[in-house]
């Protein structure tokens, strides 16, 4: 249950990050207009302020990283009880079979059943 919820959140975060990255303008977007106008030094330079999209991308990337680590941790833990029919069947198949009859204590003699008598034979 928890693993499925975290996985859904993880996939949604991935889609949001992709959308945010595609919506952002790159640093070189003004490169064509920058040549010859005297502002070409700022075309590929560092940005002074970060936009809302870049801040949201950083937040969602941190959440994506956290869900990745959580999924890795949850995936390595063993589940105590099988939750599906197939897991129960696999667990039953892997378990050793119990002996058919319990063994008698070593000092006591095992009770024996009387031998069956042979049916009377018919003479021809």
């Amino acid at each position: 249950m928890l693993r499925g919820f975290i996985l859904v959140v993880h996939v949604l975060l991935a889609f949001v990050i992709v959308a945010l990255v595609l919506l952002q303008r790159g640093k070189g977007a003004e490169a064509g207009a920058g040549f010859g106008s005297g502002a070409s030094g700022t075309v590929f330079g560092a940005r002074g302020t970060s936009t809302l999209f870049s801040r949201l991308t950083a937040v969602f990337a941190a959440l994506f990283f956290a869900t990745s680590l959580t999924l890795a941790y949850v995936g390595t833990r063993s589940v105590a009880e099988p939750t599906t029919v197939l897991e129960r069947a696999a667990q039953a198949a892997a378990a050793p079979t119990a002996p058919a009859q319990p063994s008698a204590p070593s000092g006591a003699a095992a009770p024996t059943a009387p031998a069956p008598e042979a049916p009377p034979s018919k003479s021809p």
Side-chain angles (χ1 to χ4, degrees), residues 83-105:
T83 57
T84 65
V85 175
L86 292 175
E87 288 175 353
R88 285 189 212 126
Q91 187 180 27
T97 58
Q101 295 180 354
S103 60

Side-chain angles (χ1 to χ4, degrees), residues 43-113:
V43 172
F44 296 107
R47 273 192 195 160
T49 60
S50 60
T51 63
L52 175 66
F53 285 149
S54 65
R55 289 181 185 167
L56 285 176
T57 303
V59 168
F60 285 120
L63 290 172
F64 183 83
F65 185 72
T67 56
S68 296
L69 291 176
T70 306
L71 282 172
Y73 174 73
V74 170
T76 57
R77 288 189 340 190
S78 63
V79 179
E81 288 290 322
T83 57
T84 65
V85 175
L86 292 175
E87 288 175 353
R88 285 189 212 126
Q91 187 180 27
T97 58
Q101 295 180 354
S103 60
S106 60
T112 58

